[in-house]
Amino acid sequence: MLRPRIPVNPTPTGIVAPLAQPAAVAGIEPRHETSPMASDHHSSAVEPTAPQRPTVQLTPGSLVALAAGGGALVLVVGTVLVSMLLAVAVSAASVAVCAVVIRSVLNNQKGH
């Protein structure tokens, strides 16, 4: 049940697909145009444009919700940080009290 199972590669089919080659092949250098609207009658390829993403419309209600969420996040992070600081302070105070008690016990033993 707890033995790892190592996948086995299937046997090769014998079909070899050639690797994709970059545009520069056998001394042919790619052309770099200065502007996308260059008037070169030899250029038949049109550069693809990135698809337009829809813009985010913020309504007054969503702005209020965003501000309330940000305020709540600040309060939660602040509470966590203050509680961590308080835990460190309590631990340091208890270590200091233990050190004073141990010191007084050791000093009382030496005197008696």
Side-chain angles (χ1 to χ4, degrees), residues 2 10 18 23 28 32 34 46 50 52 57 66 74 77 79 100-101 109-110:
L2 297 177
I28 301 173
H32 299 289
T34 57
V46 177
Q52 296 293 326
Q57 299 290 330
L66 186 63
V74 167
V77 170
T79 303
V100 169
V101 168
Q109 283 182 352
K110 287 182 183 176

Side-chain angles (χ1 to χ4, degrees), residues 1 4 13-15 18 22-23 29-30 33 36-37 40-41 43 48 53 71 85 94-95 97 99 103 110-111:
M1 180 175 134
T13 58
I15 301 172
E29 295 180 14
E33 296 183 24
M37 301 302 287
D40 187 10
H41 64 280
S43 176
R53 288 197 259 171
L85 181 64
S94 66
V95 168
V97 168
R103 184 177 176 184
K110 287 182 183 176

